[in-house]
Amino acid sequence: MIETGRIVILGAGIAALTAALRLAPRPVLVISPDPLGQGASSAWAQGGVAAALGPDDSVAAHVADTVVAGAGIVDVAVAQAVAEAAPEAVAALVALGVPFDRDAAGAFALSREAAHGQARVARVQGDSAGAAIMARLIAALRNTPSVQVLEGFAAERLALSSGCVTGVWLGRADVPSQPVLLKTPAVLLASGGAAGLYAITTNPGRVRGQGLGLAARAGARVADAEFVQFHPTAIACGGDPAPLATEALRGEGALLVNSRGLRFMAGAHPAAELAPRDIVARAVFAQSQSGLAPALDARAIFAGNGKAHFPTVAAACAQAGIDPARQPIPVAAAAHYHMGGVACDLRGRSSLPGLWVAGEVAATGLHGANRLASNGLLEALVMATRAAADLAENLPPGEAPEVHLAPQVVGLGPDPAMVADLRGLMTDCCGVIRSESGLRRALGDLALMSRRALPEPMLNMVAAATLIAAAALLRCESRGGHFRADHPQPDPTLARRSRLTLAEAEALRDEKVPA
């Protein structure tokens, strides 16, 4: 066991790095499985940061669009607080040197994305916001003496004493090892989402619900686990993860067509290609299931200056052998973002004393059943700032020496075949379209997995998957990112957020699949 006075931050995306900087000069320890800037979903975010920055925009309009997209279960107080903080969050990034796109007059060049009433997304080089923001945060972090970064390590489970989080067991990220207990005054969990639990995903390979799983295994209450957002325009080139064709392309006029050259969104929703993501994703999925090869026709954009405005998409297309100026880009619906996560309040506090959460692993109530485009990076920035403020207010300042870990290499890591089976199961049974029979099958297979001797990372993944499947089985309606083929309409009596512990999810699982 090692004891430290440093606040331990699990994760290395935008939420984690923002919190570490905001906590300065308090000593913190950032645990990153990969070298900083690699392996975090934040760096791959193409859209940008949603904020009421335009002359005709307002916080009220931003809140209203968030509430509508969230399909009836957004926590309006949270939406108001986050939208109010959005311009300041963007200003803080500008102060760090993030080069947001500007128009000729020097104002933000804002883009419009799905379900936004107007252009509201501050972007960088069209589709490179996440990478640009991460680069500036990392540069600032490297120059902050109070921050220690341990790369190549991952959290495996939380340590508890009298129901309070008192530490974390850490192991090497890539080599099976005997975990070391690190005692700490507080843990901020900012480890990303759970979309990598699916076989078709846009998330980096490490982002597979491990953070959600380890918090749930410690007893943290989870909210809205059933709500997974599927991005409608992942590039269907066989990549794992699938590269993304940003929603901003549709904001610029790109159209969704099938192999017959027919637009299929024009009659599906009044906003057509700019309908809420869940509606577009189901339409793309339906075309795929029908063998009609959905594609994004952005030829007019890339025949002009699209390569300069959307360099990330252009590079992904080039790597896949696609010329977007001459042919539509084949697309598929892919697991992209988890609206659910560890339940927390506006201070970032979870139900477990000693555990704060921020970023995609948290469930604040901002997203409801369907995240509004580019509210994800915004929430990470705002909630990391709020969690850091609460930590600073409630923990005494002090100095702490750097932490040095040397876990002993032992045993075996997760079985790649089992991980592949788990991801396939989630795509087949807990994917874009769900049913009672499929969800029961998922819980049955998860029960069998859980009865095997599994390493800690696999236990965390199975726990996260169990929460998603159980919550989806309990919600007998369709709402936002959760669509039940056997209950295709929303039920007004279920217009509320869900709450679930892992123990409750496992009880439901075992009730359906007795040992």
Side-chain angles (χ1 to χ4, degrees):
M1 183 190 78
I2 300 175
E3 190 160 358
T4 181
R6 292 176 178 269
I7 295 168
V8 172
I9 299 176
L10 303 177
I14 282 174
L17 303 189
T18 297
L21 291 171
R22 294 285 186 169
L23 280 164
R26 281 175 172 77
V28 302
L29 174 64
V30 174
I31 305 296
S32 175
D34 296 292
L36 286 186
Q38 301 177 23
S41 297
S42 295
W44 296 13
Q46 293 184 8
V49 182
L53 300 169
D56 299 323
D57 203 359
S58 67
V59 168
H62 188 179
V63 171
D65 287 346
T66 298
V67 169
V68 170
I73 62 169
V74 167
D75 186 322
V76 178
V78 172
Q80 182 71 29
V82 173
E84 284 177 354
E88 182 181 345
V90 173
L93 294 176
V94 171
L96 278 177
V98 176
F100 286 105
D101 295 347
R102 306 277 182 164
D103 62 20
F108 289 103
L110 302 171
S111 64
R112 183 182 176 193
E113 296 185 355
H116 286 274
Q118 57 189 292
R120 184 181 290 127
V121 179
R123 59 191 185 183
V124 180
Q125 291 184 314
D127 61 4
S128 304
I133 293 169
M134 284 289 289
R136 298 312 305 163
L137 289 173
I138 291 169
L141 202 75
R142 297 293 193 196
N143 290 314
T144 303
S146 60
V147 179
Q148 179 191 359
V149 179
L150 272 181
E151 297 169 320
F153 290 86
E156 297 194 359
R157 67 182 186 273
L158 297 174
L160 297 172
S161 177
S162 301
C164 178
V165 173
T166 56
V168 58
W169 293 86
L170 298 170
R172 302 198 70 87
D174 292 313
V175 181
S177 59
Q178 183 67 42
V180 174
L181 173 59
L182 180 64
K183 302 281 282 187
T184 173
V187 173
L188 172 61
L189 180 63
S191 56
L197 282 171
Y198 290 78
I200 304 174
T201 181
T202 63
N203 281 200
R206 287 203 194 276
V207 186
R208 291 179 180 161
Q210 296 95 325
L212 172 61
L214 73 86
R217 288 175 63 211
R221 187 161 289 276
V222 171
D224 309 327
E226 65 269 39
F227 295 112
V228 178
Q229 187 170 77
F230 296 85
H231 200 292
T233 53
I235 300 174
C237 59
D240 181 22
L244 193 63
T246 175
E247 201 154 65
L249 284 165
R250 283 175 280 140
E252 296 288 330
L255 302 175
L256 283 164
V257 298
N258 60 25
S259 56
R260 298 171 182 167
L262 301 176
R263 286 181 67 190
F264 54 85
M265 286 306 303
H269 190 276
E273 278 78 7
L274 293 178
R277 277 187 179 174
D278 63 299
I279 294 172
V280 183
R282 285 195 294 276
V284 168
F285 181 76
Q287 295 289 315
S288 296
Q289 293 294 99
S290 299
L292 293 175
L296 184 68
D297 190 348
R299 287 177 292 183
I301 295 171
F302 284 98
N305 55 9
K307 187 173 182 179
H309 280 185
F310 300 101
T312 305
V313 177
C317 286
Q319 187 171 2
I322 300 165
D323 182 354
R326 301 175 64 87
Q327 66 188 105
I329 303 167
V331 295
H336 180 61
Y337 190 93
H338 191 202
M339 278 78 74
V342 181
C344 71
D345 62 16
L346 271 168
R347 298 168 295 181
R349 294 185 184 185
S350 76
S351 62
L352 292 177
L355 179 66
W356 282 255
V357 288
E360 191 176 346
V361 73
T364 64
L366 173 66
H367 305 307
N370 191 33
R371 177 179 65 107
L372 182 67
S374 290
N375 266 358
L377 292 186
L378 171 63
E379 182 192 45
L381 293 163
V382 172
M383 289 305 300
T385 299
R386 294 181 73 106
D390 192 60
L391 281 159
E393 182 179 337
N394 287 278
L395 295 175
E399 297 183 359
E402 289 199 346
V403 174
H404 299 282
L405 297 178
Q408 181 183 357
V409 176
V410 295
L412 297 173
D415 177 3
M418 180 177 281
V419 173
D421 287 346
L422 174 61
R423 297 177 70 201
L425 178 71
M426 293 298 288
T427 290
D428 292 344
C429 299
C430 303
V432 178
I433 296 178
R434 302 157 175 185
S435 66
E436 180 179 359
S437 60
L439 294 168
R440 286 181 182 274
R441 177 196 152 197
L443 289 171
D445 286 4
L446 289 166
L448 295 176
M449 287 183 188
S450 71
R451 292 166 191 161
R452 297 174 60 177
L454 301 176
E456 297 282 349
M458 193 71 202
L459 287 171
N460 292 330
M461 285 185 267
V462 170
T466 299
L467 283 158
I468 292 170
L473 181 62
L474 289 171
R475 186 172 287 275
C476 297
E477 64 158 356
S478 292
R479 184 179 298 273
H482 168 73
F483 187 86
R484 288 277 296 264
D486 49 346
H487 297 281
Q489 299 302 319
D491 180 346
T493 68
L494 297 178
R496 59 182 182 272
R497 300 180 64 200
S498 67
R499 297 287 196 283
L500 200 62
T501 65
L502 180 59
E504 292 165 344
E506 289 177 337
L508 176 68
R509 177 199 69 191
D510 295 338
E511 170 192 321
K512 305 300 180 185
V513 190

